[in-house]
């Protein structure tokens, strides 16, 4: 069986075999075989229909539309609601990656204010990708200098700021694409219960192993640090710590979100290595292809624990700042947090080093080893320093 992977740009009217023939495969023969058939996968930019209500005439709404239509990623037109006398500005957002809901709403509000007319809510036609709402929420969070981090809080906030409940109730579970599809954004290990994960680790299988456990231990340490921050934030007794805590919590929250997927990534990387081991090696070409696949899979196995180390070490400075001004009743929790992070980084280091022996490229091996040692040394230094300070 020959394996193909090609990136081919094909437009209507193109000769399909010729178009494919003109593109080199990553590996495998170049000849096009019509009997095999062809699978083409196409994607488009995120498209949205976003209606905004204004208490004005068609002419007033048309003036606003002229400003909106200056953008190439947006089309706007006016629809008059006869029964209410209000106008609806219908906006086709052609790419919500470049044109956010907040961009549209701010433009409409700006030019509505110039004409002394009111903006009275909005409505999303159909469904919407989660990132479009979160992007708008982050914009208003920064603009208004409010402190929100959790996804559900951000959704509630942006629904209010955009007036999405004005026409009908905006229910994320029936409007946000990821929620409608029931997309599980977490891997099987990350989604498992504590009992299931412990049983998986203790079973007679190679995965999950030390790398996955190191990722989880590091994430738990960061979560304890985050808990300490939250239990310090908003307390009258710790007013002086508020500025520090509000800068630390987003860092810890983001890092936890980045580390937890590595629990599954480590197990998956090892599984891919096992697949590469089973590749045929009947001739020189197959042997070379197998060796290349093994080396690539091995570097992926190493990359995951290296990422755990990097992410864990990126939080030492914020945690040290937290340790100087925090809710003292959480002292033991913060100490456990520091020790967990240090242990997780140490475990990731050991995972890197044991796999590094099999890497063939000496230069790559030396570079990774040096970087891993430096991260480990930083971790040990910062951990001991913070723990010593907490004991004073």
């Amino acid at each position: 069986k020959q394996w193909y992977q090609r990136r081919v740009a094909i437009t209507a009217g193109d000769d399909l075999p010729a178009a494919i023939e003109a593109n080199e495969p990553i590996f495998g023969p170049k000849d096009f075989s019509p009997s095999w058939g062809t699978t083409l996968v196409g994607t488009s930019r995120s498209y949205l229909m976003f209606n905004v209500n204004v208490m004005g005439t068609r002419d007033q709404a048309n003036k606003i539309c002229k400003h909106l239509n200056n953008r190439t990623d947006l089309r706007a037109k006016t629809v008059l609601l006869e029964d209410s006398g209000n106008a609806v500005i219908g906006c086709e957002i052609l790419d919500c990656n470049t044109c956010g809901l907040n961009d549209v709403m701010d433009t409409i509000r700006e030019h509505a204010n110039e004409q002394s007319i009111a903006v009275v809510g909005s409505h999303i036609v159909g469904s919407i990708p989660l990132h479009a709402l979160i992007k708008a929420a982050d914009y208003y969070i920064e603009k208004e200098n409010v402190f929100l981090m959790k996804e559900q809080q951000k959704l509630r906030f942006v629904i209010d700021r955009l007036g999405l409940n004005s026409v009908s109730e905006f229910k994320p579970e029936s409007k946000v694409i990821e929620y409608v599809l029931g997309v599980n954004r977490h891997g099987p290990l990350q989604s498992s219960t504590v009992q299931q994960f412990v049983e998986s680790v203790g079973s007679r299988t190679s995965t999950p192993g030390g790398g996955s456990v190191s990722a989880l231990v590091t994430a738990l340490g960061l979560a304890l640090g985050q808990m300490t921050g939250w239990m310090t934030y908003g307390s009258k007794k710790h007013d002086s710590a508020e500025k520090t805590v509000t800068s630390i919590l987003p860092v810890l929250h983001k890092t936890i979100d980045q580390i937890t997927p590595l629990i599954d990534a480590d197990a998956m990387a090892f599984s891919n290595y096992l697949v590469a081991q089973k590749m045929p090696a009947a001739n020189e070409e197959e042997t070379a292809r197998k060796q290349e696949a093994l080396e690539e899979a091995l570097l992926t196995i190493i990359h995951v624990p290296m990422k755990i180390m990097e992410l864990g070490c990126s939080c030492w400075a914020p945690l040290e700042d937290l340790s100087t001004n925090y809710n003292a009743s959480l002292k033991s929790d913060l100490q456990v947090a520091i020790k967990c992070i240090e242990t997780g980084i140490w475990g990731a280091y050991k995972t890197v080093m044991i796999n590094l022996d099999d890497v063939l490229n000496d230069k790559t091996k030396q570079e990774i080893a040096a970087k891993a040692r430096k991260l480990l040394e930083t971790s040990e230094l910062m951990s001991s320093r913070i723990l010593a300070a907490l004991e004073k």
Side-chain angles (χ1 to χ4, degrees):
K1 183 178 180 180
Q2 302 294 340
W3 297 88
Y4 286 86
Q5 183 178 353
R6 303 191 184 195
R7 296 178 179 85
V8 185
I10 299 175
T11 58
D14 279 349
D15 178 4
L16 182 59
I20 293 178
E21 188 68 22
N23 292 268
E24 290 289 337
I26 291 176
F27 55 80
K30 186 177 179 179
D31 297 335
F32 173 66
S33 177
S35 63
W36 288 11
T38 300
T39 300
L40 298 179
V41 179
T43 61
S44 64
R45 296 181 177 87
S46 299
Y47 173 91
L48 291 177
M49 279 296 297
F50 181 48
N51 294 339
V52 181
N53 303 333
V54 296
M55 298 180 73
T57 66
R58 182 187 296 275
D59 288 341
Q60 288 173 317
N62 283 337
K63 287 181 181 179
I64 297 173
C65 288
K66 286 182 180 179
H67 294 284
L68 293 170
N69 286 324
N70 286 332
R71 299 185 64 122
T72 58
D73 50 9
L74 177 65
R75 289 197 295 256
K77 62 181 180 180
T78 302
V79 177
L80 192 66
L81 295 182
E82 300 294 346
D83 56 340
S84 65
N86 294 336
V88 175
I89 298 176
C91 302
E92 293 181 82
I93 300 176
L94 305 179
D95 185 358
C96 63
N97 293 310
T98 59
C99 180
L101 297 171
N102 53 283
D103 297 321
V104 176
M105 183 59 82
D106 280 6
T107 300
I108 292 174
R109 283 175 175 154
E110 177 188 350
H111 297 291
N113 287 339
E114 291 173 356
Q115 301 180 75
S116 300
I117 58 176
V119 178
V120 286
S122 64
H123 173 68
I124 290 171
V125 181
S127 56
I128 180 172
L130 178 62
H131 75 85
L133 287 170
I134 297 299
K135 179 182 175 182
D138 288 339
Y139 167 80
Y140 288 117
I141 286 169
E142 183 178 355
K143 182 179 180 180
E144 298 179 29
N145 192 30
V146 294
F147 187 59
L148 296 173
M149 292 193 324
K150 295 183 178 179
E151 185 173 289
Q152 292 305 313
Q153 290 178 326
K154 289 184 176 183
L155 288 178
R156 182 178 176 185
F157 180 66
V158 76
I159 288 168
D160 177 77
R161 291 300 181 270
L162 294 175
L164 290 173
N165 281 329
S166 62
V167 175
S168 59
E169 184 182 0
F170 183 91
K171 297 180 179 180
E173 63 272 17
S174 62
K175 296 291 285 185
V176 176
I177 292 173
E178 287 83 349
Y179 298 170
V180 173
L181 295 177
V183 174
N184 184 355
R185 287 172 284 155
H186 308 304
L189 294 175
Q190 192 181 344
S191 301
S192 65
T193 65
V194 173
Q195 183 65 31
Q196 288 169 338
F197 184 81
V198 171
E199 289 177 358
S200 295
V201 172
S203 63
R204 193 181 176 85
T205 57
S206 302
T207 59
S212 294
V213 171
S214 296
L216 177 59
V217 170
T218 306
L220 287 172
L222 293 170
L224 272 173
Q226 183 174 263
M227 182 193 80
T228 304
W230 277 122
M231 297 291 283
T232 303
Y233 172 74
S235 169
K236 186 177 180 181
K237 189 185 290 186
H238 303 97
D239 278 347
S240 61
E242 187 163 310
K243 186 175 180 180
T244 300
V245 171
T246 53
S247 65
I248 290 170
L249 283 173
V251 175
L252 297 179
H253 182 78
K254 181 179 179 181
T255 307
I256 291 169
D257 282 349
Q258 292 174 314
I259 279 190
T260 46
L262 299 181
I263 298 169
D264 284 280
D266 182 80
M268 187 173 292
F270 188 76
S271 297
N272 290 340
Y273 182 75
L274 295 181
V275 170
Q277 282 186 322
K278 295 176 182 178
M279 289 177 65
N283 53 51
E284 287 186 11
E285 183 183 353
E286 288 185 347
T287 300
R289 192 182 304 151
K290 179 177 181 178
Q291 192 58 56
E292 184 180 347
L294 284 169
E295 185 84 350
E296 184 178 342
L298 190 60
L299 289 174
T300 302
I301 290 176
I302 292 168
H303 170 76
V304 175
M306 281 294 293
K307 193 66 178 176
I308 295 169
M309 296 182 75
E310 290 169 2
L311 289 170
C313 282
S314 71
C315 290
W316 283 127
L319 287 166
E320 186 172 36
D321 290 341
L322 180 62
S323 70
T324 63
N325 196 349
Y326 70 103
N327 186 337
S329 66
L330 298 162
K331 176 180 177 179
S332 63
D333 296 294
L334 188 53
Q335 288 172 319
V336 173
I338 300 305
K339 207 63 185 173
C340 279
I341 296 167
E342 182 196 2
T343 302
I345 291 173
W346 180 86
Y349 172 78
K350 291 298 182 181
T351 304
V352 169
M353 297 309 291
I354 198 169
N355 288 294
L356 203 55
D357 290 340
D358 295 326
V359 174
L360 299 178
N361 189 308
D362 288 336
K363 183 180 178 182
T364 300
K365 185 186 296 188
Q366 291 169 7
E367 289 174 351
I368 293 173
K371 185 176 181 180
R373 279 192 294 270
K374 187 174 181 180
L375 288 168
L376 180 66
E377 290 167 3
T378 299
S379 176
E380 291 174 341
L381 173 66
M382 293 299 293
S383 173
S384 60
R385 193 161 81 188
I386 295 172
L387 290 172
L390 288 171
E391 287 294 349
K392 293 180 181 177

